[in-house]
Amino acid sequence: MPIDATQAYDDDNLFAKILRGEIPSTKVYDDEWAYAFEDINPQAATHWLVIPKGRYVSWDDFSATASAEEIAGFVRAVGEVARKAGFVEPGYRLLANVGGHGGQEVPHLHVHVFAGEPLGPMIARR
């Protein structure tokens, strides 16, 4: 169910529980700023999620309230995940849903990393 990107951070959201180790995940990357893991319902040959370790609801919340150091650390972590996995060539897709119209379902900022096969158009053509 899509969420409101302006809502207050909920410490009981799924990704907060993963960060605390209350829910298991298959880790693919971990550093001071970010944690990456395999999506349990993959939409591509490779489908990973990268989440910041801070309490941010959405990209909007993160870009407006995170420190410059947190932003730089998270963005670098997303790039590092893709480089270390060898996704740069032949290519990959990043996606961050924001709010209800954007299809965001978990109220913790997360970036989807899709790779491992040709992905086709990002959205249906009209």
Side-chain angles (χ1 to χ4, degrees):
M1 168 178 281
I3 61 109
D4 175 357
T6 63
Q7 72 187 48
Y9 187 82
D10 175 6
D11 285 312
D12 286 326
N13 78 69
L14 178 68
F15 295 161
K17 291 178 179 181
I18 287 172
L19 284 172
R20 291 192 301 265
E22 296 170 8
I23 295 176
S25 63
T26 303
K27 176 176 74 172
V28 296
Y29 182 86
D30 189 14
D31 73 8
E32 177 181 359
W33 307 107
Y35 181 73
F37 55 98
E38 294 178 0
D39 192 293
I40 62 169
N41 185 25
Q43 303 299 303
T46 299
H47 183 176
W48 294 347
L49 299 171
V50 185
I51 60 177
K53 291 193 173 173
R55 300 170 73 245
Y56 301 102
V57 173
S58 66
W59 193 267
D60 182 67
D61 177 26
F62 181 68
S63 66
T65 62
S67 70
E69 189 176 35
E70 286 176 294
I71 293 169
F74 180 68
V75 171
R76 285 188 179 108
V78 172
E80 185 74 8
V81 165
R83 279 189 302 281
K84 283 189 171 188
F87 296 157
V88 175
E89 183 57 45
Y92 63 99
R93 176 174 296 153
L94 300 176
L95 174 70
N97 299 318
V98 178
H101 282 195
Q104 184 178 0
E105 294 180 356
V106 178
H108 185 111
L109 169 61
H110 53 288
V111 174
H112 297 260
V113 179
F114 302 102
E117 64 187 342
L119 299 170
M122 191 166 70
I123 58 176
R125 305 226 189 267
R126 293 180 182 209

